[in-house]
């Protein structure tokens, strides 16, 4: 998925709006033992039709809903003598990402509807499905704008309103129905994500490149095959919720022109069948900016196995996820915690921006001109080319800012949560696997859940990827480069360390 | 072949027998033998010597005989043997040749077979007897056997090698004689077992088994492959008789053990038999995995907790633990079980079986004067340490009765030798720039299997699989003596496994191996498609 480039001035206003009164919140609250309470709810965020879908350069208008889209909400708090010590609310959404404008609108509505809830503690995450609605239409705030017909298609703003209308009550419900609970955590190794960056003998990389070429040399990066999970039980001992982190974006069906929650729909259905109708599944995506669910090589063998098993790829992934969760559940169900430390911090970040080289600027500028010319000469190509034009145009704008001497950092944020022995950290990026691995390797927590795309999505490639190029590593794909990536890792680790200070 | 260099340097012996088209019914036979020595032996796999101190679990060998008559009348007969040892000596080094000794014995008993039809691979357990050298022990470890083991008689490697070749031949003959009409099915599943063991630092250099909990840790150097390539064999009543498991993970969880062990294959055999029946044979193969090992590089604490909660605490948990072996056995078994119903329904009783073997003349990794100087320096430093222990022995000859007294001393000697060998290779390359290497390609129906003698870095195997015309391609490493074959990126990183002292062949040879392996596979597929 392409980046979201947000104009600094607008973004600063947003940050003041969102965090201005609560910057102290970024200071790590001490992890204090408390009794665990958990509440859950689910919001149906399936759009009205027809609706424009986000995730490809070309415009797709969905006129069909294959599966519902959900935003599943889990409210967690710890209490001591009936007084809340800490709390956090996770909202796992079947969306491509969570743009700033969507968050702003949700926060505004939530503050009005439920002032008792600290909106800074609401953590919105996305599964990165490419078959969910377009969420942004303001060219001042996004680099990826589609030429959506104004009349026949559900307006982008109308979908955001639906999202807010559905999710705010769910957050309220989950927060209100928190009950005493127990939790445990697990990790199991299972192979799901595939590195999609194919490197060749000449030192270049191509995303989804052809590995069957003679000059194929290696897959550029690593994969993370830990399937990490959290299990929650109510006071009666019934399993009520599972948070599952898979380092693989939900984009098996990324080219469809219908509404679809991708493999998470099947995970939810199979989990209900296996663990009970009452079980709510929150799907989290681990750092996997360079991964996808589709195999890059060994395709014939994989396709044959799917054919023989009668599964689609998304069903096969779901089967693997639920089977792994089942093993995890059996393993950890006797190691549960009802009194534990919960702590949360919301950390504003200012990351070094990736410097745009002159040739990159010139190439983007030429691309814009060529695309404008083509669309002018052949208006019928606009649906396919327009987003590509805005994608390139954002580089031109960024370069102008850079040349004007604007050296401000890229404003971002992350949530850090400690829950017992585990850490959960978020970031807004399509974060390349290596960064997630670094965070996990250096974290003092027993397990560290690195959740990506918990904000406006944008690739954050490694230095190797930037050197080798290819979509997802080119300048159009990322505002933050390897330097900023390392800053993100270091700051995440520092903030996690603060929650384990002295242990 | 696109590369003119490859064309010019290649000289090969090509021996093949195949015919194309539909085949007559397949016949398959299995045999399994215990190869655990009944006396102490020297264990192979570490720089330091290890005189075995008992048996943790039996080491075994499994033979799989395959025979068919292809359309056109030509017979195709193959015997594959999987052995719980670190490598299969093949005459390339130090005079030992387990492969040819075994072949000779089999051919004497089964003249209808030719030597190249017998393919022997190692599981790479690091807790099995040394079969790589016939040299005197003092030349291998720097001290005579009487000093390494003054109180216990140790079976010399040459004796064990002879005994092993006889046992392997016996297994091969038994498998051959056990052949019955059979079918096969094949499938792809997944099990996370092998982990890339090379850590790249921010400065660009890599280390094997480095610390990932370090601000300088940048990334894991290479890729991992968690595929479980499987072949199931069935009798005519469609009862499962055996499973060939090809997995990119050498069996070296217990690599520091002083007791004999088949490593995680032992637990896997037990789990498989429990799950699928006592009659089921298991044939392990290691896919290209020179840069992989079963050791966990990240999240070790979390994995250890899971092992504890799974009930293996008393066995020991964490790195090098029995719990890890059980965990791996579980993953492999679950991976097999997940596709088993589909495999039961897709049995082919008359697949085409074709085989070709070839001896490649691979270009040696060219060493420079700097490589020699570095190695000489290392050899000098280790030599001084070795000599210090030798001097100590003169003052205190009784120290040889201390348990494992020789561990550090033999490490020093081995590392000294490692350095001096670089110099020897440098001289050798001037007159002998290539190394003969035997590879095999086997087609069974839609499957291709291709072998090599190396600890082949994963990327090479991936290239073969990505470009192979087969529906599913099995790459089997260590069908010979074994030597790391690193990639360019790994040589740039400079970790153990990629340095000159660890490698006979470099990326140029690796590229040629890929091309030649694919060429061989194509000869088995293209004309028949």
């Amino acid at each position: 998925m392409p980046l979201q480039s947000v104009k600094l001035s607008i973004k600063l206003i947003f940050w003041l709006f969102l965090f201005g009164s609560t910057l102290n919140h970024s200071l790590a609250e001490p992890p204090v033992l408390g009794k665990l309470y958990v509440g859950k709810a689910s919001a149906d965020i399936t759009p009205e039709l027809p609706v424009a879908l986000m995730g490809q350069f070309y415009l797709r208008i969905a006129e069909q809903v294959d599966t519902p889209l959900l935003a599943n909400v889990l409210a967690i708090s710890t209490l001591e003598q009936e007084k809340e010590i800490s709390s956090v609310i996770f909202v796992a959404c079947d969306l491509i990402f969570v743009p700033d404008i969507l968050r702003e609108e949700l926060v505004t509505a939530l503050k009005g509807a439920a002032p008792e809830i600290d909106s800074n503690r609401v953590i919105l995450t996305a599964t990165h499905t490419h078959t969910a609605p377009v969420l942004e239409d303001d060219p001042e705030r996004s680099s990826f704008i589609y030429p959506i017909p104004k009349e026949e298609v559900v307006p982008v703003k109308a979908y955001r309103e639906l999202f807010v209308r559905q999710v705010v009550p769910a957050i309220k419900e989950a927060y209100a129905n928190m009950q005493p609970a127990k939790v445990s955590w697990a990790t199991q190794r299972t192979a799901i994500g595939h590195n999609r960056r194919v490197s060749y003998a000449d030192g270049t990389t191509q995303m989804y490149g052809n590995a069957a070429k003679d000059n194929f040399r290696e897959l550029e990066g690593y994969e993370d095959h830990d399937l990490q999970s959290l299990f929650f039980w109510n006071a009666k001992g019934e399993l009520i919720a599972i948070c599952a982190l898979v380092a693989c974006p939900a984009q098996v069906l990324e080219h469809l022109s219908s509404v679809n929650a991708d493999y998470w729909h099947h995970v939810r259905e199979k989990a209900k069948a296996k663990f009970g109708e009452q079980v709510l599944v929150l799907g989290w995506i681990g750092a996997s900016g360079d991964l996808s669910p589709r195999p890059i090589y060994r395709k014939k063998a994989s396709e044959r196995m799917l054919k023989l098993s009668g599964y689609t790829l998304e069903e096969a992934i779901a089967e693997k996820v639920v089977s792994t969760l089942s093993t995890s559940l059996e393993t950890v169900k006797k190691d549960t915690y009802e009194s534990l430390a919960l702590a949360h911090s919301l950390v504003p970040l200012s990351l070094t921006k990736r410097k745009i080289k002159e040739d990159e600027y010139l190439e983007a500028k030429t691309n814009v001109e060529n695309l404008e010319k083509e669309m002018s000469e052949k208006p019928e190509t606009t649906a396919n080319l327009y987003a590509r034009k805005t994608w390139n145009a954002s580089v031109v704008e960024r370069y102008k800012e850079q040349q004007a001497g604007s050296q401000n950092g890229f404003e971002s944020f992350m949530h850090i949560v400690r829950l017992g022995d585990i850490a959960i950290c978020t970031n807004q990026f399509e974060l390349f696997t290596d960064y997630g691995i670094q965070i996990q390797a250096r974290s003092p927590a027993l397990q560290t859940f690195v959740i990506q795309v918990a904000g406006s999505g944008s690739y954050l490639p490694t230095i190797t990827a930037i050197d080798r190029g290819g979509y997802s590593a080119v300048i159009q794909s990322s505002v933050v480069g390897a330097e900023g990536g390392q800053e993100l890792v270091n700051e995440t680790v520092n903030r996690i360390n603060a929650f384990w200070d002295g242990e | 072949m696109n590369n003119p260099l490859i064309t010019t340097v290649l000289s090969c012996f090509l021996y093949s027998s195949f015919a194309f088209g539909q085949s007559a019914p397949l016949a398959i036979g299995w045999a399994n033998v215990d190869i655990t020595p009944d006396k102490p032996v020297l264990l192979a796999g570490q720089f330091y010597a290890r005189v075995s101190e008992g048996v943790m679990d039996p080491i075994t060998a499994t033979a799989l005989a395959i025979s068919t008559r292809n359309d056109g009348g030509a017979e195709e007969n193959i015997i594959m043997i999987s052995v719980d040892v670190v490598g299969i000596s093949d005459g390339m080094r130090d005079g030992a040749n387990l492969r040819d000794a075994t072949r000779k014995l089999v051919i004497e008993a089964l003249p209808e077979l030719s030597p190249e039809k017998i393919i022997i691979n190692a599981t790479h357990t690091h807790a099995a007897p040394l079969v790589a050298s016939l040299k005197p022990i003092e030349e291998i470890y720097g001290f005579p056997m009487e000093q390494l083991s003054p109180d216990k008689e140790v079976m010399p490697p040459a004796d064990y090698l002879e005994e092993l070749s006889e046992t392997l031949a016996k297994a091969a003959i038994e498998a051959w004689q056990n052949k019955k009409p059979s079918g096969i099915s094949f499938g792809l599943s997944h099990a996370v077992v092998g982990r890339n063991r090379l850590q790249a630092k921010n400065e660009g250099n890599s280390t094997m088994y480095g610390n990932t909990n370090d601000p300088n840790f940048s990334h894991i150097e290479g890729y991992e492959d968690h595929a479980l390539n499987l072949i199931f064999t069935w009798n005519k009543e469609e009862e499962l008789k055996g499973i060939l498991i090809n997995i990119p993970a050498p069996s070296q969880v217990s690599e520091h053990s002083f007791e004999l062990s088949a490593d995680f294959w032992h637990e896997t055999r037990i789990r498989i038999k429990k799950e699928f029946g006592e009659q089921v044979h298991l044939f392990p193969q290691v896919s290209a995995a020179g840069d992989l090992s079963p050791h966990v590089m990240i999240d070790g604490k979390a994995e250890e907790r899971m092992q504890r909660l799974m009930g293996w605490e008393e066995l020991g948990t964490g790195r090098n633990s029995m719990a890890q072996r059980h965990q791996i056995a579980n993953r492999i078994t679950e991976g097999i079980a997940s596709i088993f119903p589909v495999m039961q329904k897709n049995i082919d009783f008359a697949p085409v079986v074709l085989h070709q073997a070839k001896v490649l003349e691979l270009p040696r990794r060219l060493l420079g004067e700097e490589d020699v100087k570095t190695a000489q320096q290392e050899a000098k430093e280790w030599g001084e340490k070795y000599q210090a222990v030798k001097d100590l022995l003169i003052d205190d000859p009784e120290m040889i009765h201390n348990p494992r007294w020789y561990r550090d001393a033999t490490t020093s000697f081995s590392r000294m030798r490692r350095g001096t060998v670089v110099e020897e290779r440098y001289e050798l390359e001037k007159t002998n720039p290539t190394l003969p290497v035997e590879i095999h390609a086997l087609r069974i129906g839609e499957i291709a299997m291709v072998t090599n003698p190396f600890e082949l870095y994963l990327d090479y195997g991936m290239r073969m699989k990505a470009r192979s015309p087969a529906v599913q391609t099995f790459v089997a490493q260590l069908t010979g003596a074994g030597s790391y074959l690193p990639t360019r990126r790994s040589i740039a990183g400079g970790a153990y496994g990629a340095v000159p002292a660890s490698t006979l062949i470099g990326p140029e040879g690796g590229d040629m191996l890929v091309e030649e392996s694919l060429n061989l596979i194509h000869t088995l597929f293209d004309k028949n498609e």
Side-chain angles (χ1 to χ4, degrees):
Chain A
M1 239 323 291
L3 67 89
Q4 296 299 298
S5 170
V6 180
K7 291 243 177 185
L8 183 63
S9 56
I10 297 171
K11 195 150 189 178
L12 277 175
I13 293 166
F14 164 62
W15 285 109
L16 289 170
F17 169 79
L18 184 58
F19 302 133
S21 62
T22 54
L23 279 179
N24 283 341
H25 195 68
S26 67
L27 300 173
E29 58 186 21
V32 177
L33 278 181
K35 191 162 169 44
L36 180 69
Y37 281 68
V38 169
K40 66 186 176 81
S42 182
D44 188 330
I45 55 169
T46 312
E48 301 288 323
L49 299 175
V51 70
L53 302 179
M54 180 79 193
Q56 300 296 344
F57 280 115
Y58 55 93
L59 176 66
R60 290 168 298 155
I61 307 293
E63 296 186 349
Q64 177 182 313
V65 173
D66 299 334
T67 78
L69 303 184
L70 299 182
N72 283 346
V73 185
L74 191 73
I76 305 171
S77 75
T78 45
L79 275 68
E80 180 66 37
Q81 295 179 340
E82 298 189 355
K83 189 178 170 217
E84 183 176 299
I85 302 170
S86 184
S87 68
V88 65
I89 299 172
F90 290 102
V91 185
C93 311
D94 288 329
L95 295 177
I96 192 152
F97 51 67
V98 186
D100 295 338
I101 190 166
L102 184 68
R103 182 189 314 279
E104 288 168 39
E105 290 172 359
L106 182 87
V107 165
T108 302
L110 188 63
K111 281 181 172 172
E116 71 278 16
I117 295 173
D118 179 356
S119 56
N120 286 329
R121 292 174 182 273
V122 175
I123 302 174
L124 293 160
T125 62
T127 61
H128 207 49
T129 175
H130 281 44
T131 41
V134 174
L135 299 164
E136 294 177 294
D137 54 357
D138 181 354
E140 292 295 309
R141 302 188 68 174
S142 172
S143 68
F144 219 78
I145 298 296
Y146 291 101
I148 302 171
K150 288 195 168 36
E151 304 282 318
E152 304 87 355
V153 179
V154 173
V156 172
K157 183 166 173 48
Y159 178 71
R160 290 201 304 266
E161 287 167 357
L162 177 145
F163 178 86
V164 170
R165 204 163 55 239
Q166 295 295 93
V167 173
V168 166
I171 292 173
K172 279 184 69 177
E173 181 190 341
Y175 192 73
N177 72 18
M178 285 193 291
Q179 301 291 325
K182 294 189 293 186
V183 64
S184 193
W185 37 82
T187 185
Q188 293 282 339
R189 318 284 190 188
T190 191
I192 294 177
H194 301 272
N195 195 293
R196 57 181 167 178
R197 291 183 49 84
V198 181
S199 290
Y200 298 102
D202 64 358
T204 62
T205 288
Q206 191 180 346
M207 189 161 96
Y208 299 128
N210 181 1
K213 284 183 175 177
D214 293 358
N215 60 345
F216 165 56
R217 286 295 174 270
E218 63 199 32
L219 292 175
E220 183 186 270
Y222 194 55
E223 290 164 5
D224 182 356
H225 293 302
D226 288 358
L227 198 163
Q228 303 201 62
S229 49
L230 295 174
F231 298 93
F232 295 89
W233 294 264
N234 63 17
K236 292 184 213 163
E238 295 166 331
L239 184 69
I240 54 170
I242 301 171
C243 300
L245 180 132
V246 180
C248 179
Q251 58 185 105
V252 175
L253 306 169
E254 62 176 305
H255 296 289
L256 283 188
S257 291
S258 50
V259 173
N260 199 306
D262 213 272
Y263 71 77
W264 284 108
H265 169 74
H266 302 280
V267 170
R268 292 191 288 254
E269 293 302 304
K270 286 175 189 288
K272 279 185 180 175
K274 190 149 197 116
F275 307 122
E277 281 291 320
Q278 76 289 353
V279 174
L280 185 83
V281 175
L282 276 77
W284 290 340
I285 307 299
S288 53
D290 43 350
L291 309 188
S292 97
R294 294 196 302 278
I296 295 299
Y297 71 105
R298 214 161 28 208
K299 291 180 181 177
K300 280 185 281 190
S302 301
E303 283 162 11
R304 172 179 174 267
M305 292 309 294
L306 287 175
K307 192 175 168 193
L308 292 179
S309 67
Y311 283 134
T312 60
L313 178 56
E314 61 274 19
E315 287 169 340
I317 289 172
E319 185 68 26
K320 217 182 266 191
V321 170
V322 173
S323 166
T324 305
L325 289 174
S326 179
T327 304
S328 291
L329 176 62
E330 282 304 304
T331 305
V332 304
K333 67 184 181 187
K334 289 182 183 165
D335 186 45
T336 60
Y337 302 86
E338 53 192 346
S339 180
L340 76 174
L342 173 67
H344 166 261
S345 63
L346 172 59
V347 183
L349 295 168
S350 181
L351 302 173
T352 300
K353 284 181 182 171
R354 179 174 170 181
K355 196 167 190 308
I356 301 168
K357 297 173 191 160
E358 188 180 5
D359 60 336
E360 291 171 331
Y361 155 70
L362 291 173
E363 183 192 333
K365 188 164 171 285
T366 304
N367 288 344
V368 170
E369 289 163 1
N370 290 341
L371 288 162
E372 281 177 340
K373 185 166 180 283
E374 189 170 354
M375 285 187 286
S376 168
E377 290 170 358
K378 298 178 192 165
E380 68 276 14
T381 63
T382 303
N384 286 343
L385 301 182
Y386 193 83
R388 194 178 287 277
K389 188 206 85 171
T390 62
W391 186 63
N392 278 286
S394 73
V395 174
V396 176
E397 289 303 309
R398 283 161 52 199
Y399 184 76
K400 286 176 183 167
E401 285 176 16
Q402 180 181 291
Q403 294 309 99
S406 168
Q407 294 302 313
N408 293 306
F410 179 80
E411 307 299 326
S412 185
F413 68 98
M414 61 186 178
H415 291 275
I416 307 288
V417 176
R418 175 173 180 175
L419 180 67
D421 292 340
I422 65 135
I424 302 166
C425 55
T426 73
N427 64 80
Q428 75 171 72
F429 301 100
E430 288 179 66
L431 189 67
F432 273 42
T433 305
D434 288 350
Y435 295 118
I437 294 290
Q438 279 190 38
I439 292 169
Q440 292 179 69
R442 292 170 54 190
S443 166
L446 180 71
Q447 283 176 234
T448 302
F449 294 61
V450 182
I451 307 175
Q452 69 167 18
V453 206
S456 294
S458 159
Y459 286 107
L460 208 170
T462 59
I463 187 76
T464 304
I466 289 169
D467 285 347
R468 295 184 183 186
Y471 182 83
S472 75
V474 292
I475 194 68
Q476 291 91 335
S477 295
S478 64
V479 182
V480 178
E483 189 179 355
Q486 202 56 56
E487 291 164 2
L488 175 73
V489 168
N490 293 342
E491 187 60 9
T492 304
V493 172
N494 288 342
R495 296 291 179 157
I496 296 172
N497 277 334
F499 279 152
W500 265 262
D501 196 23
E503 290 184 31
Chain B
M1 196 181 312
N2 297 328
N3 188 335
L5 176 65
I6 292 173
T7 312
T8 52
V9 300
L10 173 67
S11 75
C12 67
F13 300 102
L14 186 69
Y15 27 78
S16 69
S17 65
F18 61 85
F20 299 110
Q22 196 60 42
S23 301
L26 184 71
I28 288 176
W30 287 90
N32 187 258
V33 286
D34 190 322
I35 59 167
T36 317
D38 54 8
K39 292 180 191 163
V41 290
L42 278 167
L43 301 179
Q46 299 294 346
F47 282 124
Y48 53 90
R50 286 172 294 160
V51 177
S52 66
E53 297 172 359
V55 179
M56 189 187 301
D57 49 74
I59 56 170
T60 69
T62 305
L64 167 59
I66 302 172
S67 175
T68 194
R69 185 179 296 278
N70 290 308
D71 188 31
E75 272 191 32
E76 191 58 271
N77 301 316
I78 301 290
I79 299 178
M80 298 195 293
I81 311 171
S82 173
V83 193
D84 287 333
V85 289
V86 76
I88 307 296
S89 53
D90 52 12
M92 296 301 170
R93 282 182 277 172
D94 295 349
N97 197 332
L98 174 64
R99 183 193 68 191
D100 287 358
T102 305
R103 283 175 168 173
K104 183 169 179 289
L105 293 170
V106 176
I107 301 310
E108 282 171 6
L110 304 171
E112 62 269 44
L113 287 168
S114 51
E116 76 280 2
K117 298 294 175 183
I118 299 155
I119 308 167
I120 311 174
N121 72 277
T123 62
H124 209 49
T125 174
H126 281 43
L130 177 73
V131 291
S133 177
L134 297 180
K135 284 184 171 180
I137 299 304
E138 190 165 5
E139 288 185 35
I140 303 171
Y141 287 117
F143 300 91
M145 189 60 90
E146 305 81 62
Q147 288 185 332
L148 295 179
S149 182
D151 305 321
K152 282 187 295 187
E153 186 191 349
V154 177
M155 182 188 281
D159 289 4
Y160 179 75
L161 191 146
E162 185 180 348
E163 188 178 299
L164 179 60
S165 61
E166 288 166 4
T167 312
L168 296 183
K170 190 178 145 204
I173 295 160
E174 189 183 329
W176 183 256
Q177 291 167 345
N178 282 345
K179 291 195 314 297
K180 292 189 174 57
S182 300
I184 68 131
S185 48
F186 68 98
L188 174 68
S189 188
H190 291 89
V192 178
V193 181
R195 315 309 302 260
N196 193 296
R197 54 184 165 176
L198 304 172
Q199 291 79 48
K201 296 178 180 173
N202 289 327
E203 298 82 11
N205 60 316
S206 297
T207 51
M208 184 183 282
Y209 301 131
N211 179 16
T212 56
N213 183 2
D214 183 332
N216 270 331
F217 165 60
S218 171
H219 59 276
I220 300 292
E221 185 189 271
Y223 194 59
E224 284 172 12
D225 178 9
H226 301 302
L228 206 50
N229 285 291
L230 301 166
I231 298 174
F232 299 75
T233 78
W234 314 80
N235 66 14
K236 64 181 180 184
E237 287 79 29
E238 301 193 2
E239 292 166 341
L240 182 66
K241 300 305 289 181
I243 309 173
L244 183 150
I245 304 175
N246 177 293
I247 188 166
S251 52
Q252 58 185 103
V253 174
S254 301
E255 64 176 305
H256 299 289
S257 172
F258 277 72
E259 292 179 320
L260 287 147
S261 175
D263 211 272
F264 64 71
W265 288 114
H266 175 68
E267 286 74 25
T268 306
R269 287 177 182 123
I270 292 171
R271 283 282 283 116
I272 296 282
K273 284 179 181 291
K274 191 176 169 195
E275 190 82 20
F276 301 103
E278 281 297 317
Q279 81 288 354
V280 174
H281 295 272
L282 187 152
F283 191 101
Q285 265 183 352
V286 189
S287 187
D291 40 349
L292 272 57
S293 86
H295 302 308
V296 174
M297 298 296 128
I298 296 142
D299 289 344
K301 285 184 293 185
E303 181 124 309
E304 191 169 356
R305 169 178 172 264
M306 296 300 288
Q307 292 167 355
R308 232 173 24 246
L309 294 175
M310 290 177 101
W312 296 317
E313 185 158 20
E314 287 182 7
L315 299 174
T317 55
R319 191 186 177 101
N320 301 123
S321 72
M322 293 304 288
Q324 197 192 359
R325 290 170 44 163
H326 280 271
Q327 199 172 24
I328 289 170
N330 270 9
R331 286 182 191 151
I332 293 173
T333 308
E334 285 165 9
I336 294 169
S338 71
I339 66 165
F340 187 73
V342 167
M343 295 294 99
Q344 273 179 309
K345 291 179 191 162
N346 289 277
I347 305 171
D348 185 353
F349 285 93
V352 172
V353 179
L354 303 167
H355 167 256
Q356 277 201 345
K358 193 170 184 178
V359 176
L360 307 177
E361 289 291 338
L362 292 184
R364 292 177 187 270
R365 177 176 174 180
L366 289 179
L367 304 173
E369 287 182 6
E370 273 307 306
D371 295 325
V372 175
K373 274 185 196 165
T374 304
Q376 281 174 332
Q377 182 58 32
E378 285 175 10
K380 182 170 176 289
E381 288 165 11
W382 287 107
E384 287 166 0
K385 290 178 186 170
Y386 164 65
Q387 190 56 47
V389 179
K390 293 271 282 185
D391 294 344
L392 206 60
L393 265 179
I394 295 168
D395 296 338
D396 181 13
E398 291 305 305
M399 69 184 272
I400 62 171
H401 296 286
N402 296 335
R404 303 181 189 178
W405 70 269
Y406 50 79
R407 188 184 152 119
D408 291 346
T410 52
T411 297
S412 299
F413 180 82
S414 296
R415 301 202 70 152
M416 178 189 79
R417 272 293 298 150
R418 195 171 132 89
T420 55
V421 162
V422 171
E423 190 174 355
E424 291 165 15
R425 278 174 43 206
Y426 178 70
E427 293 302 323
L428 180 67
E429 283 171 3
K430 293 174 183 170
T431 56
N432 196 352
T434 63
L435 186 73
V437 166
E438 182 182 285
I439 65 169
H440 295 258
L442 181 64
R443 174 178 178 178
I444 308 175
E446 295 173 295
I447 307 169
M449 183 180 293
V450 63
T451 76
N452 67 81
F454 300 105
E455 288 181 67
L456 187 69
Y457 274 42
L458 185 103
D459 289 348
Y460 294 114
M462 184 164 53
R463 285 162 61 183
M464 295 176 196
K465 291 169 189 173
R467 293 171 54 195
S468 167
V471 168
Q472 194 170 331
T473 301
F474 294 57
V475 176
Q477 67 171 18
L478 285 165
T479 54
S483 153
Y484 288 110
L485 206 170
T487 55
R488 286 178 181 82
R489 73 171 154 184
S490 205
I491 286 173
Y496 177 82
V499 294
S502 297
T503 56
L504 298 173
I505 307 289
E508 189 184 30
D511 290 344
M512 182 174 168
L513 178 70
V514 169
E515 299 304 325
E516 287 299 316
S517 298
L518 285 164
N519 287 344
L520 216 51
I521 293 173
H522 273 286
T523 61
L524 303 181
F525 277 80
D526 292 354
K527 292 179 192 169
N528 200 35
E529 295 304 313

